Amino acid sequence: MQIEETTEVWEYDGSFHGFLTIVYHAFKKRQFPEIILTPDTAVESLFLSHWISTDTALAHKMYKRLLTRLRQENSQFIIDGFYCSLKEKERFLLDAIQIALESKDLLLNHLGHPSILALQNALKSLFGEVHLFTGFIRFEYIGELLYSTIAPKHFSLPYLCPHFAKRYPQEMIMIYDETHRLLGIIEHGEISFIENSEPPTFHTKESEQEIQDYWRSFLQAITIQERKNERAQLSHLPKRYRHHMVDFN
Amino acid sequence: MELAKKIEILAESAKYDVSCSSSGVTDNTRNGTVGSTSAAGICHSFTSDGRCVSLLKLLFTNACIFDCHYCINRKSNTIPRATFTPQEVADLTMDFYMRNYIEGLFLSSAIIKNVDYTSELLIKTLKILRYEKGFKGYIHVKAIPGADEKLIEELGYLADRMSINVELPSRESLKLLAPDKEPFALYKPMKQITQKKHELAQVPALRKQASFVPAGQSTQMIIGASPESDHAIVKIAETLYQKYELKRVYYSAYIPVNQDSLLPAITTDPPLLREHRLYQADWLLRFYRFSADEILSEDKPNFNLYLDPKANWAVQHYEQFPIDVQTASYDQLLRIPGIGPKSALNILKARKYYQLHLSDLKKLGVVIKRAQYFVSCNGARQAGLIHDPEWVIASLISSRQYETLKQVNSQSRQEQLTLFDVERFETTKRKEARYAN
Ligand code: SF4
């Protein structure tokens, strides 16, 4: 398929459906814009852009088509790629879709292409973040509810929820992602999300203070002073995670 | 006593116990309502010494009736003592687990009253967790050597992993430094667990309830408190892997805690490099098909502190190199510094289809910087290298290390090759360190 690279700037609402709408238009017109903005990135940019409004029906159609035309690993790569925090990811993803359509090959075999490489690196960082959060998330009991706040760089929460659904099969759990204003709810293993959510307001119980104190005394007690190495600690447990961890209060 | 104080005392006493590994169990054989043991490799925090925290590691009590010389909890020390109740440990474990602070519990204990009584307390704790609280997360428990077989077995059904600490690498040292312990009692429970696991595996009907120590057993040895050579220690580890099918042997550099004429002075630094070398040698035993006697020998019983054991072996056996990667067997490939199990497999796969070239090795995961002195490929060797063991050593270590090495070794070339009079190095290094500060 011959695709024309234009100098156009497109803008959309940043949602997954919005992105699929972009994919639809790009392939329909056989034109890839040079830049794709979202309301967030548009603020920093002075370019005049062409607004593509999200068309849910179209997006659904596009989604189905991608799932049938692409091999499973590749569609997963593209979906995961969308949920990474990566500047200009939309533009890279268009390239990825085109390569996947044309080569029928695993996208991972095309790391030589700068767009695929950039996406792959972002994916690694997404999954790395998800893995770290499985350990670094801290819950508090609010009544019967287990509650946690996180500030992930990537769209990690949906990837994280299955882990906690399995870990606490009988609990009611809420995890709030400040960065993406997303609230994940796990009820007896069932996962759901509320987008554009305000953080719920709670008062934590006194007894939580006590348990957090126990935890900090434990951490303090097992530290071997003779081997103190805060640099190592910092590289394993970067600052940006510590904000929400009771370990560092 | 307040719970916070107990935690302080009993976590502090347990901190030198290594093994943060919560790995080893992937299938869920336990019935319960909370948790899973499948989550291997999760660190929940890092202490400011940089270690991963994945388990709530506690001593049940530090009020010991024994008097092991190397131990901070020995009876004759005056230190604050504390003892948990089974309920306290179980509650704390659950509280921490539910808040995602930990992956499970690592419970050890000093001897209170007698060995059986202590074991019963541990069993009670685990029973509350497993049966009352439905906890199926990971539990690693230290068995109490000398306890009744029935008790060891019961504990085995409740825990994921059990360990019995060998503590010291020889009977003589044990007698001297742990006078209350019966050296043979240490190995008995190990044998019992191995046998029981075999038994269960042989009866198909029982195989399903494989929850008897499903993650296997491990042990720990203290390094540097007693005079055994590295060779002796590696030999013991080898036996433990072969005879008792241990999952891991942990080595822990002795940190002097007691003023004692039988032990290194309280000012002695813990032999961390030695500990590191032991872990490297342990890898060679478990993954590289080396035998203990290849790694070290009676006449060269101690590690080279400058070269890792594998490189050291290769330099000492330089006549066996270069090994040709196009034709070498898997075992031979594993002997080449810079080639690990994974890259060795990659080489085997790749060479089925292609004639390898030296320049392919990097892509196959080989660390060329190390391997280049020891490999050839279809007869070809890396150009421009001098193939002389002494030169190779100089290239594998830093120039500063090499300078020190040359100074301490007398200048005869022969001696530089037989290398490494370890004690002499250590003294020189210590002297240097003194001036450096
Ligand atoms: S038995 Fe020996 S090593 Fe164990 S706690 Fe008591 S004194 Fe320490």
Side-chain angles (χ1 to χ4, degrees), chain B residues 136-160:
Chain B
K136 57 175 181 170
Y138 185 85
I139 300 180
H140 179 162
V141 70
K142 287 263 166 86
I144 309 292
D148 191 277
E149 274 182 37
K150 282 260 161 340
L151 298 174
I152 301 255
E153 180 169 333
E154 199 170 358
L155 208 50
Y157 277 111
L158 292 162
D160 289 285

PDB file of all heavy atoms in Angstrom, chain B residues 136-160:
ATOM      1  N   LYS B 136      -2.430 -18.515  52.015  1.00  0.00           N
ATOM      2  CA  LYS B 136      -1.668 -19.463  51.199  1.00  0.00           C
ATOM      3  C   LYS B 136      -0.446 -18.818  50.559  1.00  0.00           C
ATOM      4  O   LYS B 136       0.125 -19.326  49.609  1.00  0.00           O
ATOM      5  CB  LYS B 136      -2.557 -20.131  50.169  1.00  0.00           C
ATOM      6  CG  LYS B 136      -3.288 -19.205  49.241  1.00  0.00           C
ATOM      7  CD  LYS B 136      -4.025 -20.044  48.193  1.00  0.00           C
ATOM      8  CE  LYS B 136      -4.754 -19.138  47.219  1.00  0.00           C
ATOM      9  NZ  LYS B 136      -5.278 -19.876  46.088  1.00  0.00           N
ATOM     10  N   GLY B 137      -0.056 -17.663  51.089  1.00  0.00           N
ATOM     11  CA  GLY B 137       1.184 -17.042  50.626  1.00  0.00           C
ATOM     12  C   GLY B 137       2.391 -17.870  51.062  1.00  0.00           C
ATOM     13  O   GLY B 137       2.261 -18.940  51.653  1.00  0.00           O
ATOM     14  N   TYR B 138       3.555 -17.337  50.776  1.00  0.00           N
ATOM     15  CA  TYR B 138       4.788 -18.086  50.960  1.00  0.00           C
ATOM     16  C   TYR B 138       5.252 -18.101  52.420  1.00  0.00           C
ATOM     17  O   TYR B 138       5.252 -17.067  53.084  1.00  0.00           O
ATOM     18  CB  TYR B 138       5.855 -17.430  50.081  1.00  0.00           C
ATOM     19  CG  TYR B 138       7.175 -18.131  50.055  1.00  0.00           C
ATOM     20  CD1 TYR B 138       7.398 -19.179  49.186  1.00  0.00           C
ATOM     21  CD2 TYR B 138       8.208 -17.732  50.898  1.00  0.00           C
ATOM     22  CE1 TYR B 138       8.616 -19.820  49.146  1.00  0.00           C
ATOM     23  CE2 TYR B 138       9.432 -18.374  50.867  1.00  0.00           C
ATOM     24  CZ  TYR B 138       9.630 -19.406  49.984  1.00  0.00           C
ATOM     25  OH  TYR B 138      10.835 -20.042  49.954  1.00  0.00           O
ATOM     26  N   ILE B 139       5.614 -19.266  52.891  1.00  0.00           N
ATOM     27  CA  ILE B 139       6.203 -19.352  54.231  1.00  0.00           C
ATOM     28  C   ILE B 139       7.499 -20.159  54.192  1.00  0.00           C
ATOM     29  O   ILE B 139       7.518 -21.286  53.708  1.00  0.00           O
ATOM     30  CB  ILE B 139       5.258 -20.023  55.252  1.00  0.00           C
ATOM     31  CG1 ILE B 139       3.952 -19.239  55.377  1.00  0.00           C
ATOM     32  CG2 ILE B 139       5.929 -20.111  56.617  1.00  0.00           C
ATOM     33  CD1 ILE B 139       2.961 -19.841  56.369  1.00  0.00           C
ATOM     34  N   HIS B 140       8.544 -19.527  54.660  1.00  0.00           N
ATOM     35  CA  HIS B 140       9.838 -20.209  54.797  1.00  0.00           C
ATOM     36  C   HIS B 140      10.114 -20.326  56.289  1.00  0.00           C
ATOM     37  O   HIS B 140      10.085 -19.339  57.010  1.00  0.00           O
ATOM     38  CB  HIS B 140      10.916 -19.359  54.111  1.00  0.00           C
ATOM     39  CG  HIS B 140      12.296 -19.944  54.194  1.00  0.00           C
ATOM     40  ND1 HIS B 140      13.307 -19.545  53.353  1.00  0.00           N
ATOM     41  CD2 HIS B 140      12.842 -20.886  54.999  1.00  0.00           C
ATOM     42  CE1 HIS B 140      14.421 -20.223  53.643  1.00  0.00           C
ATOM     43  NE2 HIS B 140      14.164 -21.029  54.641  1.00  0.00           N
ATOM     44  N   VAL B 141      10.326 -21.542  56.748  1.00  0.00           N
ATOM     45  CA  VAL B 141      10.554 -21.700  58.174  1.00  0.00           C
ATOM     46  C   VAL B 141      11.868 -22.437  58.412  1.00  0.00           C
ATOM     47  O   VAL B 141      12.269 -23.290  57.633  1.00  0.00           O
ATOM     48  CB  VAL B 141       9.361 -22.412  58.847  1.00  0.00           C
ATOM     49  CG1 VAL B 141       9.294 -23.868  58.443  1.00  0.00           C
ATOM     50  CG2 VAL B 141       9.404 -22.284  60.351  1.00  0.00           C
ATOM     51  N   LYS B 142      12.552 -22.006  59.469  1.00  0.00           N
ATOM     52  CA  LYS B 142      13.779 -22.701  59.863  1.00  0.00           C
ATOM     53  C   LYS B 142      13.388 -23.840  60.790  1.00  0.00           C
ATOM     54  O   LYS B 142      12.770 -23.598  61.830  1.00  0.00           O
ATOM     55  CB  LYS B 142      14.688 -21.742  60.632  1.00  0.00           C
ATOM     56  CG  LYS B 142      15.348 -20.714  59.772  1.00  0.00           C
ATOM     57  CD  LYS B 142      16.745 -21.161  59.397  1.00  0.00           C
ATOM     58  CE  LYS B 142      17.317 -20.337  58.271  1.00  0.00           C
ATOM     59  NZ  LYS B 142      17.974 -19.127  58.724  1.00  0.00           N
ATOM     60  N   ALA B 143      13.734 -25.048  60.405  1.00  0.00           N
ATOM     61  CA  ALA B 143      13.437 -26.160  61.294  1.00  0.00           C
ATOM     62  C   ALA B 143      14.436 -26.132  62.443  1.00  0.00           C
ATOM     63  O   ALA B 143      15.551 -25.650  62.299  1.00  0.00           O
ATOM     64  CB  ALA B 143      13.548 -27.470  60.540  1.00  0.00           C
ATOM     65  N   ILE B 144      14.019 -26.654  63.562  1.00  0.00           N
ATOM     66  CA  ILE B 144      14.911 -26.674  64.714  1.00  0.00           C
ATOM     67  C   ILE B 144      15.594 -28.040  64.749  1.00  0.00           C
ATOM     68  O   ILE B 144      14.944 -29.066  64.955  1.00  0.00           O
ATOM     69  CB  ILE B 144      14.122 -26.493  66.022  1.00  0.00           C
ATOM     70  CG1 ILE B 144      13.192 -25.267  65.935  1.00  0.00           C
ATOM     71  CG2 ILE B 144      15.057 -26.391  67.205  1.00  0.00           C
ATOM     72  CD1 ILE B 144      13.882 -23.945  65.884  1.00  0.00           C
ATOM     73  N   PRO B 145      16.902 -28.052  64.538  1.00  0.00           N
ATOM     74  CA  PRO B 145      17.599 -29.334  64.526  1.00  0.00           C
ATOM     75  C   PRO B 145      17.465 -30.020  65.886  1.00  0.00           C
ATOM     76  O   PRO B 145      17.502 -29.349  66.911  1.00  0.00           O
ATOM     77  CB  PRO B 145      19.057 -28.975  64.258  1.00  0.00           C
ATOM     78  CG  PRO B 145      19.077 -27.537  63.908  1.00  0.00           C
ATOM     79  CD  PRO B 145      17.811 -26.926  64.355  1.00  0.00           C
ATOM     80  N   GLY B 146      17.284 -31.323  65.849  1.00  0.00           N
ATOM     81  CA  GLY B 146      17.174 -32.052  67.105  1.00  0.00           C
ATOM     82  C   GLY B 146      15.738 -32.223  67.548  1.00  0.00           C
ATOM     83  O   GLY B 146      15.451 -32.983  68.471  1.00  0.00           O
ATOM     84  N   ALA B 147      14.812 -31.529  66.898  1.00  0.00           N
ATOM     85  CA  ALA B 147      13.410 -31.665  67.292  1.00  0.00           C
ATOM     86  C   ALA B 147      12.880 -33.023  66.840  1.00  0.00           C
ATOM     87  O   ALA B 147      13.427 -33.647  65.932  1.00  0.00           O
ATOM     88  CB  ALA B 147      12.581 -30.554  66.672  1.00  0.00           C
ATOM     89  N   ASP B 148      11.822 -33.442  67.471  1.00  0.00           N
ATOM     90  CA  ASP B 148      11.206 -34.718  67.171  1.00  0.00           C
ATOM     91  C   ASP B 148      10.803 -34.805  65.699  1.00  0.00           C
ATOM     92  O   ASP B 148      10.308 -33.846  65.118  1.00  0.00           O
ATOM     93  CB  ASP B 148       9.961 -34.860  68.059  1.00  0.00           C
ATOM     94  CG  ASP B 148       9.400 -36.255  68.008  1.00  0.00           C
ATOM     95  OD1 ASP B 148       8.640 -36.555  67.046  1.00  0.00           O
ATOM     96  OD2 ASP B 148       9.730 -37.038  68.898  1.00  0.00           O
ATOM     97  N   GLU B 149      11.015 -35.973  65.107  1.00  0.00           N
ATOM     98  CA  GLU B 149      10.717 -36.152  63.683  1.00  0.00           C
ATOM     99  C   GLU B 149       9.284 -35.773  63.334  1.00  0.00           C
ATOM    100  O   GLU B 149       9.008 -35.190  62.290  1.00  0.00           O
ATOM    101  CB  GLU B 149      10.942 -37.605  63.281  1.00  0.00           C
ATOM    102  CG  GLU B 149      12.376 -37.896  62.913  1.00  0.00           C
ATOM    103  CD  GLU B 149      12.554 -39.334  62.484  1.00  0.00           C
ATOM    104  OE1 GLU B 149      11.624 -39.862  61.824  1.00  0.00           O
ATOM    105  OE2 GLU B 149      13.604 -39.912  62.796  1.00  0.00           O
ATOM    106  N   LYS B 150       8.376 -36.140  64.194  1.00  0.00           N
ATOM    107  CA  LYS B 150       6.961 -35.838  63.961  1.00  0.00           C
ATOM    108  C   LYS B 150       6.750 -34.334  63.795  1.00  0.00           C
ATOM    109  O   LYS B 150       5.972 -33.880  62.961  1.00  0.00           O
ATOM    110  CB  LYS B 150       6.110 -36.332  65.146  1.00  0.00           C
ATOM    111  CG  LYS B 150       5.834 -37.814  65.158  1.00  0.00           C
ATOM    112  CD  LYS B 150       4.433 -38.051  64.627  1.00  0.00           C
ATOM    113  CE  LYS B 150       4.155 -39.476  64.144  1.00  0.00           C
ATOM    114  NZ  LYS B 150       5.275 -40.341  63.816  1.00  0.00           N
ATOM    115  N   LEU B 151       7.456 -33.586  64.631  1.00  0.00           N
ATOM    116  CA  LEU B 151       7.293 -32.135  64.585  1.00  0.00           C
ATOM    117  C   LEU B 151       7.865 -31.552  63.298  1.00  0.00           C
ATOM    118  O   LEU B 151       7.301 -30.664  62.679  1.00  0.00           O
ATOM    119  CB  LEU B 151       7.953 -31.495  65.807  1.00  0.00           C
ATOM    120  CG  LEU B 151       7.364 -31.900  67.158  1.00  0.00           C
ATOM    121  CD1 LEU B 151       8.196 -31.329  68.300  1.00  0.00           C
ATOM    122  CD2 LEU B 151       5.913 -31.431  67.268  1.00  0.00           C
ATOM    123  N   ILE B 152       9.022 -32.084  62.906  1.00  0.00           N
ATOM    124  CA  ILE B 152       9.645 -31.620  61.657  1.00  0.00           C
ATOM    125  C   ILE B 152       8.689 -31.888  60.495  1.00  0.00           C
ATOM    126  O   ILE B 152       8.488 -31.048  59.618  1.00  0.00           O
ATOM    127  CB  ILE B 152      10.976 -32.371  61.409  1.00  0.00           C
ATOM    128  CG1 ILE B 152      11.929 -32.141  62.577  1.00  0.00           C
ATOM    129  CG2 ILE B 152      11.566 -31.993  60.059  1.00  0.00           C
ATOM    130  CD1 ILE B 152      13.047 -31.212  62.375  1.00  0.00           C
ATOM    131  N   GLU B 153       8.069 -33.058  60.531  1.00  0.00           N
ATOM    132  CA  GLU B 153       7.169 -33.424  59.444  1.00  0.00           C
ATOM    133  C   GLU B 153       5.945 -32.499  59.422  1.00  0.00           C
ATOM    134  O   GLU B 153       5.540 -32.004  58.375  1.00  0.00           O
ATOM    135  CB  GLU B 153       6.733 -34.886  59.584  1.00  0.00           C
ATOM    136  CG  GLU B 153       5.800 -35.286  58.472  1.00  0.00           C
ATOM    137  CD  GLU B 153       5.567 -36.793  58.428  1.00  0.00           C
ATOM    138  OE1 GLU B 153       6.460 -37.538  58.879  1.00  0.00           O
ATOM    139  OE2 GLU B 153       4.505 -37.206  57.936  1.00  0.00           O
ATOM    140  N   GLU B 154       5.406 -32.250  60.575  1.00  0.00           N
ATOM    141  CA  GLU B 154       4.233 -31.392  60.645  1.00  0.00           C
ATOM    142  C   GLU B 154       4.549 -29.992  60.101  1.00  0.00           C
ATOM    143  O   GLU B 154       3.787 -29.414  59.323  1.00  0.00           O
ATOM    144  CB  GLU B 154       3.747 -31.300  62.099  1.00  0.00           C
ATOM    145  CG  GLU B 154       2.320 -30.829  62.193  1.00  0.00           C
ATOM    146  CD  GLU B 154       1.754 -30.965  63.603  1.00  0.00           C
ATOM    147  OE1 GLU B 154       2.474 -31.457  64.501  1.00  0.00           O
ATOM    148  OE2 GLU B 154       0.600 -30.560  63.789  1.00  0.00           O
ATOM    149  N   LEU B 155       5.688 -29.512  60.485  1.00  0.00           N
ATOM    150  CA  LEU B 155       6.131 -28.203  60.003  1.00  0.00           C
ATOM    151  C   LEU B 155       6.270 -28.205  58.479  1.00  0.00           C
ATOM    152  O   LEU B 155       5.923 -27.251  57.797  1.00  0.00           O
ATOM    153  CB  LEU B 155       7.477 -27.879  60.666  1.00  0.00           C
ATOM    154  CG  LEU B 155       7.861 -26.428  60.894  1.00  0.00           C
ATOM    155  CD1 LEU B 155       6.752 -25.655  61.568  1.00  0.00           C
ATOM    156  CD2 LEU B 155       9.128 -26.353  61.722  1.00  0.00           C
ATOM    157  N   GLY B 156       6.769 -29.333  57.988  1.00  0.00           N
ATOM    158  CA  GLY B 156       6.972 -29.469  56.549  1.00  0.00           C
ATOM    159  C   GLY B 156       5.696 -29.367  55.740  1.00  0.00           C
ATOM    160  O   GLY B 156       5.693 -28.883  54.612  1.00  0.00           O
ATOM    161  N   TYR B 157       4.604 -29.815  56.330  1.00  0.00           N
ATOM    162  CA  TYR B 157       3.334 -29.727  55.622  1.00  0.00           C
ATOM    163  C   TYR B 157       2.769 -28.313  55.634  1.00  0.00           C
ATOM    164  O   TYR B 157       1.920 -27.961  54.827  1.00  0.00           O
ATOM    165  CB  TYR B 157       2.314 -30.697  56.230  1.00  0.00           C
ATOM    166  CG  TYR B 157       2.464 -32.104  55.700  1.00  0.00           C
ATOM    167  CD1 TYR B 157       2.920 -33.136  56.500  1.00  0.00           C
ATOM    168  CD2 TYR B 157       2.153 -32.388  54.375  1.00  0.00           C
ATOM    169  CE1 TYR B 157       3.070 -34.418  56.009  1.00  0.00           C
ATOM    170  CE2 TYR B 157       2.295 -33.666  53.862  1.00  0.00           C
ATOM    171  CZ  TYR B 157       2.751 -34.685  54.680  1.00  0.00           C
ATOM    172  OH  TYR B 157       2.901 -35.941  54.179  1.00  0.00           O
ATOM    173  N   LEU B 158       3.222 -27.525  56.567  1.00  0.00           N
ATOM    174  CA  LEU B 158       2.676 -26.174  56.689  1.00  0.00           C
ATOM    175  C   LEU B 158       3.474 -25.134  55.903  1.00  0.00           C
ATOM    176  O   LEU B 158       2.962 -24.098  55.520  1.00  0.00           O
ATOM    177  CB  LEU B 158       2.651 -25.768  58.170  1.00  0.00           C
ATOM    178  CG  LEU B 158       1.662 -26.542  59.039  1.00  0.00           C
ATOM    179  CD1 LEU B 158       2.027 -26.394  60.510  1.00  0.00           C
ATOM    180  CD2 LEU B 158       0.244 -26.058  58.787  1.00  0.00           C
ATOM    181  N   ALA B 159       4.757 -25.440  55.678  1.00  0.00           N
ATOM    182  CA  ALA B 159       5.642 -24.444  55.073  1.00  0.00           C
ATOM    183  C   ALA B 159       5.807 -24.683  53.581  1.00  0.00           C
ATOM    184  O   ALA B 159       5.502 -25.751  53.076  1.00  0.00           O
ATOM    185  CB  ALA B 159       7.001 -24.488  55.748  1.00  0.00           C
ATOM    186  N   ASP B 160       6.292 -23.655  52.891  1.00  0.00           N
ATOM    187  CA  ASP B 160       6.663 -23.834  51.494  1.00  0.00           C
ATOM    188  C   ASP B 160       8.114 -24.266  51.390  1.00  0.00           C
ATOM    189  O   ASP B 160       8.464 -25.101  50.596  1.00  0.00           O
ATOM    190  CB  ASP B 160       6.497 -22.520  50.727  1.00  0.00           C
ATOM    191  CG  ASP B 160       5.039 -22.172  50.550  1.00  0.00           C
ATOM    192  OD1 ASP B 160       4.406 -22.808  49.710  1.00  0.00           O
ATOM    193  OD2 ASP B 160       4.537 -21.292  51.272  1.00  0.00           O
TER     194      ASP B 160
END
